[in-house]
Amino acid sequence: MKPFKYLPKALQTLLLANAAVFIIAFLGRGLEINLGAGYGSLTDYISYYGAFMPRVPLELWRYVTYMFIHFDFMHFFFNMLMLWMFGSEVAEWMGSRHFISMYFFCGIFAALFSFFMCLLGLTNNPIIGASGALMGVFVAYYKFFPDRVILMFFVIPMRIKNAMWVMIALDILFANSGDMIAHFAHLGGVVAGFLYMAVFQNGPKVLYNSPLSAIFRLFSSNPEKYNRGRSSRSSRSDSVEEPEVLEGEVFYVNEQKRMDEILKKVEREGLQSLSESERDFLLKAGDKLRRRRGGF
């Protein structure tokens, strides 16, 4: 696991927001207040107004607020641990904008999925926690690194491409078990994760003019690329000539400027947005930096 200060800013923000709500809820257990629904603790009010209630689907703020509410320490700890472990590389690979948009899309879709299951009479329980959004992060990790080995249940070594389907099977199996786990929200997060990743990896080939494509255009620094096929993007990038390499101090200044631009692009759009020439530049620049510092 990476130290917190090296995590992408988007992931840091999510972790801090969840931690802040958990601390407020923990400290508010003994604070009696009356905000219009009778006397109760601050924690009770956070649950009353923040949890997602399938029976009141038009209270739209709940589709977001429920994702940040954890009352049980182990629930909070394991959700944040998983978000830290898997979200770090996913955020770096996708870029902060897409990571945040995917996270909220999956969390909101998970709540909607639970609402539709409520209409079918399969669930009626309030939902709290980041698990729905987190399942979308798992799907992205599965798509990017299918052969990575993880410890399933912290014990069993398993490739993520197999572990993903084990988690889905378990949620289906225990969906109506009454174990107080929001299995339908998990499944909704999985469905949303696959939808989002289909558009992210294939661009306008999938769901070309769908609301998902609109979300991509909204969060992208280059929305035009979601209006054209990959072939046009690749041909455009291939036709761009690399700047002539200059020597001496002028080259060093230009090199540093280009490095900064590429790093900003990684932060916005992720590692996989880089062209081959940009990847080569980063590798060569890293070698030069190591030589300047006397490395090998």
Side-chain angles (χ1 to χ4, degrees):
M1 287 176 55
K2 286 187 176 181
F4 182 83
K5 65 179 180 179
Y6 296 123
L7 296 176
K9 290 182 180 179
L11 183 56
Q12 290 181 350
T13 301
L14 288 175
L15 291 168
L16 288 174
N18 277 279
V21 175
F22 176 75
I23 291 171
I24 292 171
F26 179 79
L27 297 177
R29 291 176 180 176
L31 180 61
E32 292 291 320
I33 55 176
N34 187 348
L35 298 178
Y39 281 96
S41 69
L42 178 58
T43 303
D44 293 333
Y45 267 93
I46 291 174
S47 177
Y48 184 78
Y49 285 112
F52 178 73
M53 307 285 190
R55 291 169 293 179
V56 285
L58 296 182
E59 294 181 351
L60 300 183
W61 70 86
R62 297 182 183 273
Y63 289 88
V64 174
T65 55
Y66 89 95
M67 289 186 265
F68 296 91
I69 299 175
H70 302 82
F71 296 131
D72 179 76
F73 175 75
M74 297 307 293
H75 185 206
F76 166 76
F77 175 77
F78 282 111
N79 272 1
M80 295 304 101
L81 178 64
M82 295 299 101
L83 181 58
W84 192 321
M85 289 174 60
F86 295 99
S88 174
E89 287 188 276
V90 170
E92 289 176 351
W93 198 246
M94 298 184 76
S96 293
R97 293 185 181 185
H98 272 305
F99 179 74
I100 286 291
S101 61
M102 181 195 70
Y103 186 88
F104 281 101
F105 174 75
C106 292
I108 292 169
F109 191 96
L112 277 171
F113 191 85
S114 297
F115 165 65
F116 286 121
M117 294 301 104
C118 177
L119 293 179
L120 296 175
L122 297 176
T123 183
N124 200 26
N125 296 324
I127 302 170
I128 60 171
S131 300
L134 188 56
M135 291 303 290
V137 175
F138 286 153
V139 171
Y141 194 89
Y142 153 78
K143 286 288 189 177
F144 290 139
F145 316 109
D147 292 315
R148 289 276 182 87
V149 176
I150 65 171
L151 287 178
M152 191 70 172
F153 310 118
F154 299 97
V155 176
I156 307 170
M158 189 179 297
R159 295 187 188 277
I160 185 67
K161 64 183 180 183
N162 299 322
M164 184 76 247
W165 296 106
V166 170
M167 288 188 283
I168 293 172
L170 290 174
D171 277 320
I172 293 174
L173 182 63
F174 292 103
N176 285 315
S177 65
D179 59 3
M180 301 305 294
I181 296 176
H183 294 288
F184 287 117
H186 294 181
L187 293 171
V190 168
V191 172
F194 276 108
L195 287 174
Y196 197 97
M197 291 303 297
V199 179
F200 179 79
Q201 293 184 315
N202 297 288
K205 293 181 186 177
V206 179
L207 307 177
Y208 181 73
N209 287 318
S210 71
L212 272 181
S213 295
I215 292 173
F216 276 67
R217 286 193 292 272
L218 177 65
F219 283 92
S220 176
S221 61
N222 183 20
E224 291 298 318
K225 68 182 179 180
Y226 294 104
N227 295 327
R228 296 193 294 272
R230 280 191 168 189
S231 59
S232 63
R233 296 201 304 273
S234 60
S235 62
R236 185 184 66 230
S237 63
D238 292 341
S239 65
V240 176
E241 295 183 359
E242 292 300 311
E244 182 182 355
V245 177
L246 304 176
E247 300 296 336
E249 293 299 322
V250 174
F251 170 64
Y252 178 76
V253 172
N254 290 341
E255 186 181 52
Q256 186 61 49
K257 181 180 178 181
R258 191 177 183 210
M259 172 73 80
D260 292 341
E261 290 173 350
I262 292 175
L263 292 177
K264 288 179 181 178
K265 182 178 180 181
V266 171
E267 174 65 20
R268 290 193 313 269
E269 302 179 37
L271 287 170
Q272 72 172 17
S273 67
L274 299 182
S275 65
E276 286 297 324
S277 62
E278 289 169 333
R279 291 172 187 265
D280 291 341
F281 180 86
L282 283 181
L283 290 174
K284 292 175 182 177
D287 290 339
K288 288 180 181 179
L289 183 60
R290 284 192 293 272
R291 287 199 296 270
R292 289 189 188 119
R293 293 177 176 177
F296 296 95

